[in-house]
Structures are given as C-alpha cells and as structure tokens.
Amino acid sequence: MPLIDMPDFSAELLDEFAARNTARVNTPVIQPAEPFLDMAGEDLRRRIFLTESETGASLCLRPEFTIPVCLRHIETATGTPKRYSYLGEVFRQRREGANEFYQAGIEDLGDTDIASADARAVSDASAVLKRLLPGRRLSVTLGDQQVFEAVVAALGLPQGWQKRLVQAFGDTVQLDALLQSLVSPKPMTGLDARVAGLLATGDEKVLVDYIDSVMQDTGYSTNASRAPQEIARRLREKLALAATRLPDESFELLKQFLSLQAPLSQASQTLVQFADKARLKLDAALSAFDARVAALANGGIDLDSVQYRAAFGRPLDYYTGLVFEVGVEGETAVLAGGGRFDRLMTLLGAKDKIPAVGFSLWLDRIEAVSAKP
C-alpha cells in the first residue's frame, strides 16, 4: 500500500494521457542502480536511496521514471514509435518536500520528426497543466543543449573539455567553475612522483606496469576497479585538460552566448546575430532550433509566452537537445520539466538508435499550487 495518497486530480491526469494515445506503464519500485549512477547526472546520483541485493548487486528505490520506462521498452522488444505514460511514486532526497512523492509523465519514443515531437512534448505538458490548474497563467522556459554543444565545438576546445562543459550545462555554479579553470588553468597536484615522471616521459608501457604493481601491492583488484590501462588513459586525459587554456576571446564569446535570452518569437534571430558576430558555424544546430520553433507555432503555442535562455539546462546527463520547464507565473516551483534524450536508448542497450523526448509532472507541487487561492 502506498504511504502517501494519490492526488485528487489523478483521474483527470489519466484521462489526459489516454486522450493522447499513450500506453500507461508501471515499473518496479526496486531498480538496478547502475543506470542511474552512470547516466542520470550528479544532482540525482547524490539523492538516490541505495541498497544491495543478497548477491551484492547495487539496487535503488526508483528515483524517476524515464530510465525505467526506457529499459522496459528495450526488454519487451516493443516497436516504435511508441508513447508511454506513467503515474506512480518516486523516491529521492530533496531540499524541500517529502522524499517519497508521486510523479507522472509521457515518454515519446521513436518519432523521427524531431521538431514535431519536441513541440508536442511542450504542448502536452502545458495542456495538462492548464486542465489541472484552470485559470492560472503558465510560464515556459526553454533551452537547447544541442545549440550549446555546437557553440562549444565551434570554439575548438579538446573533446575532453567539450564533454565536461556539456555535462555541466544547466548547473550555473559548476559551469562557471569549469570556465574559470579554462581561463586560469592549474597544474595537476597530488600525483605520485613516479607517476608524474612517467606521464612526463610518455612511456605508456612503463606507466601501466607501474600502476599495475601499485594496485597489486595495495590490494586493489582490477575486477573491482578500473584496469591499469584505463587509469593511465584517464591520467593522461586529465593532464592534457589541466594544461588547456581557453583564449580570452573564446571565453568572452562563451559568456556572451550564455547571457542570451529572448522570447521564443525572437530567439532564432538572436542566435543568428550572435553566430554572425562571433563568426561561429552553427548552421545545423540553428536549423534544428528553427524547425522546432515553427512546429511550436503551428501547434498553437504563443511564442511570446515562451522564454528562451541560452544557459538553461536541466540537471540530468542524458538530455541531448530540447530542455524545458513549465510553472505558473508568480510561482517559483517547477511543475513540469523534460526534454530530448536521443542517446539514452542506445546507452541503455537498445540495438538501434531511437529518438526520444518526454516530460515529467511534479504532482505534489501541482497540488500545492492548486490549493492556493
């Protein structure tokens, strides 16, 4: 039996999901922890409730639905396109509110019309909230991880730094710290003197052999930790990243980009002007952005009511393009949030690439807002 009551508006919510031709699914409360630890982002990883099975496998209480729904889709070998909906309890530590609460949402898998599927996710999330909160004026914030990745790539940073910055997208504090590290790089510290010397010589075999001997002497097993070759590779990567300095001009361009914001009706023009002035080739990313804007307009969304922010992201590592959140004007609570996660399905084991987009609804927050006069 659930320890908390299902929200009063649950029946209306399920009606909305049925009207959108979704298949309602549930997933076990006890989940394998590895997919969340690997793919869900640091903000979620540190809030998960972890345990172990009798065999030592790492398990967790279900902290969200996207990964479990995708795993279920892969395991059942269901074809696409497929639209799933869910309504159930999730468990995660939160700064505010209970650690056990209800969440609902839609995962849209396999639609190859990316712009249309993105627009549908924003439209569906807004429409559901309008039904649950009649008379309330919504605010929608939209970002685009693909555009951010394109800007970072156009600046010519090493792949390692591009990956770091992309993973930090949406976390202002972490992103600022990384940018400061790029402007004022600091040498690696705390390295074993022998390791530091071998890294400097570039003798890979001797470095690997030394790491292996240290692991043997200290009792570390390569089955329980990374292999010596992997440790050596990561050390070299860290050394290269620590030595990278972002030119002042590139740093200023990145800061200028992250400061961009505009109503969605003006966002395409704002991005084109930035790209032209910065002399950055962002054609593919901006073309996809324009297509989504057109699809939203065709779907009846008031573009002036949607705010584009270049620095806006969501703290989950699996997003790849669109990211968005919906709230009520005058309220700080995020009531719905989601985005595109095209890489997630193959990372979870799908044999084919499956485009995917979806959103979640925070039902306890919706309840709290609806109770206000």
Side-chain angles (χ1 to χ4, degrees):
M1 288 289 291
L3 299 179
I4 55 176
D5 293 331
M6 188 85 78
D8 292 339
F9 51 74
S10 296
E12 292 179 87
L13 192 52
L14 294 178
D15 286 345
E16 288 289 319
F17 290 164
R20 286 164 172 77
N21 297 316
T22 64
R24 187 185 173 191
V25 295
N26 203 351
T27 61
V29 169
I30 303 296
Q31 291 283 323
E34 186 177 357
F36 300 99
L37 298 176
D38 287 346
M39 303 172 196
E42 188 60 37
D43 186 65
L44 181 59
R45 282 193 288 268
R46 61 173 173 257
R47 301 179 190 282
I48 290 175
F49 292 98
L50 290 167
T51 186
E52 282 190 359
S53 70
E54 291 183 356
T55 61
S58 184
L59 304 172
C60 68
L61 293 176
R62 181 179 61 208
E64 55 105 62
F65 270 94
T66 297
I67 288 175
V69 168
C70 290
L71 285 171
R72 183 185 184 279
H73 175 84
I74 295 168
E75 290 164 359
T76 55
T78 306
T80 58
K82 188 77 173 181
R83 304 195 80 209
Y84 294 105
S85 60
Y86 58 85
L87 169 59
E89 292 165 286
V90 293
F91 306 82
R92 71 172 84 162
Q93 300 178 67
R94 296 195 290 178
R95 297 180 184 90
E96 297 179 5
N99 296 329
E100 174 189 1
F101 52 99
Y102 279 96
Q103 207 167 51
I106 293 176
E107 308 298 355
D108 200 333
L109 309 181
D111 190 337
T112 56
D113 188 340
I114 303 300
S116 176
D118 283 358
R120 184 167 58 239
V122 177
S123 179
D124 283 351
S126 300
V128 170
L129 285 174
K130 285 178 180 177
R131 175 167 179 179
L132 301 182
L133 299 169
R136 302 297 181 97
R137 187 174 177 86
L138 301 180
S139 62
V140 182
T141 302
L142 183 146
D144 193 317
Q145 180 138 349
Q146 184 181 7
V147 174
F148 176 70
E149 290 185 22
V151 171
V152 171
L155 292 175
L157 283 169
Q159 285 294 326
W161 266 111
Q162 291 186 38
K163 183 178 179 181
R164 282 188 176 190
L165 293 171
V166 167
Q167 287 178 334
F169 182 62
D171 185 331
T172 304
V173 174
Q174 185 184 1
L175 192 56
D176 283 346
L178 288 174
L179 290 177
Q180 289 303 318
S181 297
L182 268 171
V183 174
S184 304
K186 297 178 181 178
M188 286 180 66
T189 58
L191 279 179
D192 177 290
R194 174 70 171 149
V195 170
L198 291 172
L199 282 169
T201 65
D203 193 327
E204 185 77 10
K205 184 180 184 307
V206 176
L207 175 62
V208 170
D209 288 345
Y210 177 71
I211 293 172
D212 185 43
S213 67
V214 171
M215 292 176 72
Q216 297 292 339
D217 292 343
T218 55
Y220 282 101
S221 166
T222 56
N223 292 328
S225 60
R226 296 188 179 95
Q229 293 84 353
E230 174 66 8
I231 293 173
R233 185 190 67 77
R234 285 176 175 262
L235 285 172
R236 290 201 179 284
E237 182 181 83
K238 287 183 178 180
L239 187 66
L241 294 179
T244 302
R245 184 184 185 280
L246 185 66
D248 292 342
E249 180 183 1
S250 297
F251 174 75
E252 288 304 320
L253 287 176
L254 196 49
K255 296 291 284 186
Q256 287 173 27
F257 170 75
L258 292 170
S259 70
L260 297 178
Q261 55 182 347
L264 195 55
S265 58
Q266 302 171 23
S268 292
Q269 181 181 1
T270 299
L271 287 170
V272 168
Q273 289 174 344
F274 165 79
D276 288 345
K277 185 176 180 180
R279 297 180 181 178
L280 297 179
K281 296 289 289 182
L282 309 176
D283 295 359
L286 296 189
S287 178
F289 187 93
D290 292 347
R292 184 194 304 122
V293 172
L296 281 164
N298 292 336
I301 294 290
D302 178 8
L303 299 184
D304 287 324
S305 69
V306 180
Q307 185 75 7
Y308 167 71
R309 285 176 44 213
F312 174 72
R314 305 197 70 237
L316 292 170
D317 287 352
Y318 50 66
Y319 287 123
T320 57
L322 165 76
V323 281
F324 72 96
E325 289 180 348
V326 188
V328 168
E329 283 193 1
E331 302 283 347
T332 58
V334 175
L335 306 183
R340 175 157 293 279
F341 47 96
D342 287 346
R343 289 192 291 261
L344 181 61
M345 299 297 291
T346 49
L347 289 172
L348 291 174
K351 293 180 180 178
D352 301 314
K353 292 183 178 180
I354 300 175
V357 66
F359 66 90
S360 296
L361 298 156
W362 301 76
L363 304 192
D364 57 339
R365 297 175 183 174
I366 296 171
E367 272 191 309
V369 171
S370 65
K372 294 182 179 181

